[in-house]
Amino acid sequence: MSRKALIAANWKMYKTPAEAKAFIEAFLPLVAAHDRDEIAVFPSPVLLPGVVESLKGSAVAVGAQNIYFAEEGAFTGETSVLQLKAVGGTHTLIGHSERRQYFGETDEIVNKKLHTALKHGIVPVVCIGEVLEEREVGETADVLKRQLAGALAGITAEAAAPIVIAYEPVWAIGTGRTATPEMAVEAHKIIRAEAARLLNAEIAANMRILYGGSVKVDNCNSLIGQEEIDGALVGGASLKAESFAAIVKY
Ligand code: PEP
């Protein structure tokens, strides 16, 4: 089974427009000859039009870190999928653990956002993962299954093909602690088996499952190099062009 890897940069709430432009000017030459994998960057909403403009003519995709599930309306502070599309965004993160932790996103909200993204042809990267206490008491598999089932509720196998899952153990995000390749592979196998049960075997076999959680230049090979790991969602190490390019070229 050959799944094209996706290496994605989550810039979180970092970078001004000038810093984003400088990143892209430094980054593109470093990955100019690289077409093995897909690359995507996820900047803050205010940066989206400028980043799309700076990346014009390259193969690097641009996505939002979050979208709202309604198409438009009186939802102060939110960004709609239609606005994302209108400025040239093609992807979105959904249910990042920071959204779940600080902004109260539930599996139900994640599910509504996933329906909206799929309806409008936006590639969704759905983030799931256990917190440390859940891992320590042996609940990782249950959490992953619950979050995946919650996200996929009401989504048919036919509609599910574009979905990308990011396995992000919450205890590894921004902490410098990484899952070992064995831990990540085990989690990815659980996710893929559950996707096969909820959707079907073919969709699950083709579904890209990324690993995220303190991916750095010095650990990316051992993680993304695994057959079960179809790329990475990178936070801290995606902020510098040199380190993100080195991860892209793992
Ligand atoms: C993330 O933001 O999804 C992430 C994995 O961050 P970091 O790489 O900094 O742990």
Side-chain angles (χ1 to χ4, degrees), residues 123-135:
V123 178
V125 179
V126 180
C127 306
I128 61 175
E130 79 288 358
V131 299
L132 188 58
E133 298 74 44
E134 291 163 338
R135 174 160 286 272

PDB file of all heavy atoms in Angstrom, residues 123-135:
ATOM      1  N   VAL A 123      -9.631  19.493   2.500  1.00  0.00           N
ATOM      2  CA  VAL A 123      -8.993  18.300   3.062  1.00  0.00           C
ATOM      3  C   VAL A 123      -8.876  18.456   4.589  1.00  0.00           C
ATOM      4  O   VAL A 123      -8.182  19.361   5.070  1.00  0.00           O
ATOM      5  CB  VAL A 123      -7.579  18.082   2.474  1.00  0.00           C
ATOM      6  CG1 VAL A 123      -6.909  16.867   3.119  1.00  0.00           C
ATOM      7  CG2 VAL A 123      -7.641  17.939   0.958  1.00  0.00           C
ATOM      8  N   PRO A 124      -9.564  17.595   5.330  1.00  0.00           N
ATOM      9  CA  PRO A 124      -9.523  17.742   6.786  1.00  0.00           C
ATOM     10  C   PRO A 124      -8.416  16.898   7.414  1.00  0.00           C
ATOM     11  O   PRO A 124      -8.245  15.731   7.078  1.00  0.00           O
ATOM     12  CB  PRO A 124     -10.898  17.208   7.224  1.00  0.00           C
ATOM     13  CG  PRO A 124     -11.327  16.281   6.128  1.00  0.00           C
ATOM     14  CD  PRO A 124     -10.506  16.542   4.897  1.00  0.00           C
ATOM     15  N   VAL A 125      -7.670  17.503   8.315  1.00  0.00           N
ATOM     16  CA  VAL A 125      -6.674  16.761   9.103  1.00  0.00           C
ATOM     17  C   VAL A 125      -7.224  16.717  10.531  1.00  0.00           C
ATOM     18  O   VAL A 125      -7.189  17.721  11.253  1.00  0.00           O
ATOM     19  CB  VAL A 125      -5.294  17.441   9.057  1.00  0.00           C
ATOM     20  CG1 VAL A 125      -4.285  16.661   9.897  1.00  0.00           C
ATOM     21  CG2 VAL A 125      -4.800  17.579   7.613  1.00  0.00           C
ATOM     22  N   VAL A 126      -7.784  15.589  10.888  1.00  0.00           N
ATOM     23  CA  VAL A 126      -8.480  15.449  12.169  1.00  0.00           C
ATOM     24  C   VAL A 126      -7.505  14.950  13.227  1.00  0.00           C
ATOM     25  O   VAL A 126      -6.895  13.888  13.067  1.00  0.00           O
ATOM     26  CB  VAL A 126      -9.657  14.454  12.044  1.00  0.00           C
ATOM     27  CG1 VAL A 126     -10.375  14.313  13.383  1.00  0.00           C
ATOM     28  CG2 VAL A 126     -10.622  14.892  10.950  1.00  0.00           C
ATOM     29  N   CYS A 127      -7.350  15.735  14.287  1.00  0.00           N
ATOM     30  CA  CYS A 127      -6.363  15.399  15.322  1.00  0.00           C
ATOM     31  C   CYS A 127      -7.019  14.655  16.475  1.00  0.00           C
ATOM     32  O   CYS A 127      -8.044  15.095  17.003  1.00  0.00           O
ATOM     33  CB  CYS A 127      -5.722  16.679  15.862  1.00  0.00           C
ATOM     34  SG  CYS A 127      -5.007  17.731  14.574  1.00  0.00           S
ATOM     35  N   ILE A 128      -6.416  13.536  16.828  1.00  0.00           N
ATOM     36  CA  ILE A 128      -6.894  12.773  17.982  1.00  0.00           C
ATOM     37  C   ILE A 128      -5.680  12.337  18.805  1.00  0.00           C
ATOM     38  O   ILE A 128      -4.563  12.262  18.290  1.00  0.00           O
ATOM     39  CB  ILE A 128      -7.741  11.531  17.567  1.00  0.00           C
ATOM     40  CG1 ILE A 128      -6.927  10.547  16.719  1.00  0.00           C
ATOM     41  CG2 ILE A 128      -8.988  11.959  16.812  1.00  0.00           C
ATOM     42  CD1 ILE A 128      -7.698   9.260  16.397  1.00  0.00           C
ATOM     43  N   GLY A 129      -5.911  12.065  20.071  1.00  0.00           N
ATOM     44  CA  GLY A 129      -4.786  11.613  20.899  1.00  0.00           C
ATOM     45  C   GLY A 129      -5.139  11.653  22.371  1.00  0.00           C
ATOM     46  O   GLY A 129      -5.996  12.428  22.798  1.00  0.00           O
ATOM     47  N   GLU A 130      -4.438  10.840  23.117  1.00  0.00           N
ATOM     48  CA  GLU A 130      -4.717  10.695  24.549  1.00  0.00           C
ATOM     49  C   GLU A 130      -3.867  11.653  25.377  1.00  0.00           C
ATOM     50  O   GLU A 130      -2.767  12.037  24.961  1.00  0.00           O
ATOM     51  CB  GLU A 130      -4.439   9.245  24.986  1.00  0.00           C
ATOM     52  CG  GLU A 130      -2.965   8.872  25.226  1.00  0.00           C
ATOM     53  CD  GLU A 130      -2.125   8.747  23.958  1.00  0.00           C
ATOM     54  OE1 GLU A 130      -2.655   8.905  22.859  1.00  0.00           O
ATOM     55  OE2 GLU A 130      -0.899   8.494  24.088  1.00  0.00           O
ATOM     56  N   VAL A 131      -4.359  12.029  26.554  1.00  0.00           N
ATOM     57  CA  VAL A 131      -3.538  12.791  27.503  1.00  0.00           C
ATOM     58  C   VAL A 131      -2.731  11.786  28.332  1.00  0.00           C
ATOM     59  O   VAL A 131      -2.986  10.585  28.311  1.00  0.00           O
ATOM     60  CB  VAL A 131      -4.394  13.722  28.405  1.00  0.00           C
ATOM     61  CG1 VAL A 131      -5.158  14.736  27.573  1.00  0.00           C
ATOM     62  CG2 VAL A 131      -5.336  12.939  29.295  1.00  0.00           C
ATOM     63  N   LEU A 132      -1.761  12.309  29.066  1.00  0.00           N
ATOM     64  CA  LEU A 132      -0.828  11.429  29.791  1.00  0.00           C
ATOM     65  C   LEU A 132      -1.543  10.495  30.773  1.00  0.00           C
ATOM     66  O   LEU A 132      -1.249   9.291  30.823  1.00  0.00           O
ATOM     67  CB  LEU A 132       0.204  12.286  30.533  1.00  0.00           C
ATOM     68  CG  LEU A 132       1.353  11.511  31.171  1.00  0.00           C
ATOM     69  CD1 LEU A 132       2.121  10.700  30.138  1.00  0.00           C
ATOM     70  CD2 LEU A 132       2.305  12.476  31.894  1.00  0.00           C
ATOM     71  N   GLU A 133      -2.502  11.040  31.520  1.00  0.00           N
ATOM     72  CA  GLU A 133      -3.190  10.203  32.525  1.00  0.00           C
ATOM     73  C   GLU A 133      -3.886   9.028  31.838  1.00  0.00           C
ATOM     74  O   GLU A 133      -3.928   7.920  32.378  1.00  0.00           O
ATOM     75  CB  GLU A 133      -4.248  11.010  33.296  1.00  0.00           C
ATOM     76  CG  GLU A 133      -3.704  12.186  34.106  1.00  0.00           C
ATOM     77  CD  GLU A 133      -3.294  13.369  33.241  1.00  0.00           C
ATOM     78  OE1 GLU A 133      -4.038  13.728  32.317  1.00  0.00           O
ATOM     79  OE2 GLU A 133      -2.187  13.923  33.457  1.00  0.00           O
ATOM     80  N   GLU A 134      -4.455   9.284  30.665  1.00  0.00           N
ATOM     81  CA  GLU A 134      -5.147   8.202  29.951  1.00  0.00           C
ATOM     82  C   GLU A 134      -4.152   7.132  29.506  1.00  0.00           C
ATOM     83  O   GLU A 134      -4.415   5.936  29.615  1.00  0.00           O
ATOM     84  CB  GLU A 134      -5.909   8.781  28.753  1.00  0.00           C
ATOM     85  CG  GLU A 134      -7.086   9.637  29.196  1.00  0.00           C
ATOM     86  CD  GLU A 134      -7.653  10.562  28.114  1.00  0.00           C
ATOM     87  OE1 GLU A 134      -6.936  10.890  27.131  1.00  0.00           O
ATOM     88  OE2 GLU A 134      -8.808  10.975  28.257  1.00  0.00           O
ATOM     89  N   ARG A 135      -2.988   7.545  29.030  1.00  0.00           N
ATOM     90  CA  ARG A 135      -1.970   6.555  28.646  1.00  0.00           C
ATOM     91  C   ARG A 135      -1.529   5.753  29.870  1.00  0.00           C
ATOM     92  O   ARG A 135      -1.395   4.545  29.816  1.00  0.00           O
ATOM     93  CB  ARG A 135      -0.766   7.233  27.972  1.00  0.00           C
ATOM     94  CG  ARG A 135       0.388   6.278  27.680  1.00  0.00           C
ATOM     95  CD  ARG A 135       1.337   6.779  26.632  1.00  0.00           C
ATOM     96  NE  ARG A 135       0.798   6.695  25.283  1.00  0.00           N
ATOM     97  CZ  ARG A 135       0.902   5.624  24.488  1.00  0.00           C
ATOM     98  NH1 ARG A 135       1.513   4.533  24.904  1.00  0.00           N
ATOM     99  NH2 ARG A 135       0.398   5.645  23.267  1.00  0.00           N
TER     100      ARG A 135
END
